[in-house]
């Protein structure tokens, strides 16, 4: 077997380009198997349905997706300007736990429902604004121009609006109206004008706001309240919030408790079944090379107590690395605890890198 025949069963196909599932025009540029799959990448099933098979329910996100579907309003409620508010969906969990993937699965489901109901609602234009790009790097909107500290919340909100404005202009919304939204300093007023513009053009807007590594819970709560304030009709904000081991999902959204406009989706920690579930599901979904055999269930479940993987990203990278190491094995090998151990041990010292060093806050927030 040559390297060109290799298809790592734990690899992730990037959404675009030579390593991707297509270019957004329906052509599958990566289907010939020549692309090298990466160890990890934010999944984008809302845009590329082919990515749905790469999603593995090991972080209990199926339960949270069900919760989202149950809480999702009828389309006419989102479009009704008399209802008074749009929606804020807060997705919380530890770094690397799959929040970005869950958000995009929610958007995929929402777009499916909107498509089914669209004729009766006048076929609204659906817009999508990833304010930190598909890589979902919050630094681009949350770091001060000096590169060393948090930007003030006013500037963070302005940057988010500028990213939204780019999407509006791509769809030929009137430039003077869009520029007025950007220049408006009051976030509530800016989003109110944006909502009016969406109503006039029969459009519905999905906005993804990434985790921006708040190092102060009060500052984070204040920012979430600013997200709740502009929850106007036809605007749906998906806000990603990473929290540390010392916090609970309840701590994250305490400031928003009681709001009818908020849906909170919280990803739980991995348990002893998750290593096995990931190994089995990922391999079955992606197809495996002939040099690997069925993973050993008892060995993988026993590995949990020794390994204690912190998140889905770590699972992906360790399994991907172990499979690469076995690709040249002289005879079939199973992915078991012995095969994984060298790769999880080498990553233990680097786990803190997932949290990254917090950015120093500016005086006054």
């Amino acid at each position: 077997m040559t390297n060109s025949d290799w298809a790592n069963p734990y690899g992730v196909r990037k959404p675009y380009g030579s390593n991707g599932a297509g270019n957004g025009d329906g052509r599958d540029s990566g289907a010939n198997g020549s692309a090298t799959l990466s160890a990890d990448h934010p999944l984008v099933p809302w845009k590329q349905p082919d990515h749905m098979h790469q999603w593995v329910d090991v972080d209990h996100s199926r339960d949270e997706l069900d919760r989202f579907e149950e809480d999702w309003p009828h389309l006419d409620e989102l479009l009704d300007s008399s209802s008074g508010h749009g929606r804020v969906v807060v997705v919380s969990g530890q770094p690397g736990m799959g929040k970005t993937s869950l958000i995009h699965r929610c958007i995929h489901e929402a777009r499916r429902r909107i498509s089914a109901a669209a004729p009766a609602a006048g076929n609204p234009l659906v817009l999508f604004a990833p304010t930190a790009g598909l890589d979902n790097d919050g630094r681009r909107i949350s770091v001060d121009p000096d590169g060393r500290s948090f930007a003030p919340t006013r500037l963070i909100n302005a940057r988010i609006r500028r990213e939204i404005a780019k999407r509006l202009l791509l769809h030929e919304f009137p430039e003077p109206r869009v520029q007025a939204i950007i220049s408006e300093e009051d976030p509530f007023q800016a989003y109110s004008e944006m909502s009016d513009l969406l109503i006039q053009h029969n459009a519905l807007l999905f906005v993804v706001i990434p985790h921006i590594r708040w190092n102060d819970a009060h500052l984070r709560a204040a920012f979430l309240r600013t997200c709740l304030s502009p929850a106007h009709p036809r605007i749906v904000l998906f806000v990603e919030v990473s929290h540390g081991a010392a916090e609970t999902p309840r701590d994250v959204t305490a400031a928003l408790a009681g709001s009818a406009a908020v849906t909170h989706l919280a990803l739980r920690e991995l348990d002893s079944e998750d290593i096995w579930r990931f190994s089995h599901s990922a391999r079955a979904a992606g197809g495996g090379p002939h040099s690997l055999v069925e993973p050993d269930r008892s060995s993988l479940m026993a590995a949990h107590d020794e390994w204690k993987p912190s998140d889905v990203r770590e699972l992906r990278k360790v399994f991907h690395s172990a499979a690469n190491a076995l690709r040249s094995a002289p005879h079939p090998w199973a992915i078991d605890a012995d095969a994984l151990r060298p790769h999880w041990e080498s990553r233990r010292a680097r786990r803190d890198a997932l949290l990254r060093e917090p950015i120093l806050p500016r005086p006054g927030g």
Side-chain angles (χ1 to χ4, degrees), residues 16 43-49 51-52 103-109 111 128 130 134 167:
Y16 303 110
L43 306 185
V44 195
W46 74 271
K47 185 69 173 177
Q48 297 287 352
H51 278 64
M52 296 294 279
I103 286 173
H104 285 283
R105 282 185 62 80
C106 289
I107 292 174
H108 179 84
E109 173 61 22
R111 286 171 63 93
F128 172 75
L134 295 181
R167 300 291 166 163

Side-chain angles (χ1 to χ4, degrees), residues 249-277:
R250 188 183 301 274
D251 295 329
V252 171
T253 57
L256 305 180
S259 172
V262 175
T263 298
H264 180 207
L265 309 179
L267 294 179
R268 306 194 303 273
E269 294 181 2
L270 303 178
D271 59 35
S272 60
E273 284 277 350
D274 290 326
I275 298 178
W276 163 251
R277 188 179 296 114

Side-chain angles (χ1 to χ4, degrees), residues 152-171:
T153 51
R154 175 189 56 78
L155 180 56
I156 292 173
N157 276 291
R159 286 172 171 169
I160 289 171
R161 291 205 308 272
R162 280 201 294 270
E163 293 300 318
I164 295 173
K166 292 177 184 178
R167 300 291 166 163
L168 297 178
L169 292 174
L170 282 176
H171 289 272

Side-chain angles (χ1 to χ4, degrees), residues 317-359:
K317 290 186 174 182
V318 168
F319 271 88
H320 185 274
S321 179
N324 268 345
L326 293 175
R327 65 189 295 180
S328 58
H331 53 81
W333 288 89
I335 290 283
D336 57 14
D338 289 337
L340 295 169
R341 187 175 292 106
H343 305 281
W344 85 57
E345 287 180 342
S346 68
R347 288 190 171 274
R348 274 181 171 167
R350 302 200 299 270
R351 275 187 180 177
D352 290 343
L354 290 174
L355 288 167
R356 302 184 184 179
E357 290 296 322
I359 306 168

Side-chain angles (χ1 to χ4, degrees), residues 163-238:
E163 293 300 318
I164 295 173
K166 292 177 184 178
R167 300 291 166 163
L168 297 178
L169 292 174
L170 282 176
H171 289 272
E172 299 182 350
F173 280 64
E175 186 169 357
R177 293 286 303 276
V178 174
Q179 292 300 332
I181 291 171
I182 297 175
S183 60
E184 175 62 60
E185 292 198 10
D186 178 11
F188 184 88
Q189 182 61 32
Y191 280 94
S192 178
E193 294 176 8
M194 189 185 302
S195 179
D196 291 342
L197 189 58
L198 293 167
I199 291 171
Q200 291 176 17
H201 289 263
N202 191 27
L204 179 63
L205 176 66
F206 291 96
V207 180
V208 178
I209 300 174
H211 167 56
I212 47 185
R213 294 193 285 284
W214 303 107
N215 59 357
D216 182 296
H218 296 292
L219 189 61
R220 181 183 64 199
F223 178 76
L224 288 175
R225 283 193 292 271
T226 68
C227 290
L228 183 60
S229 295
H232 290 282
R234 296 180 181 253
I235 299 174
V236 182
L237 301 181
F238 288 85

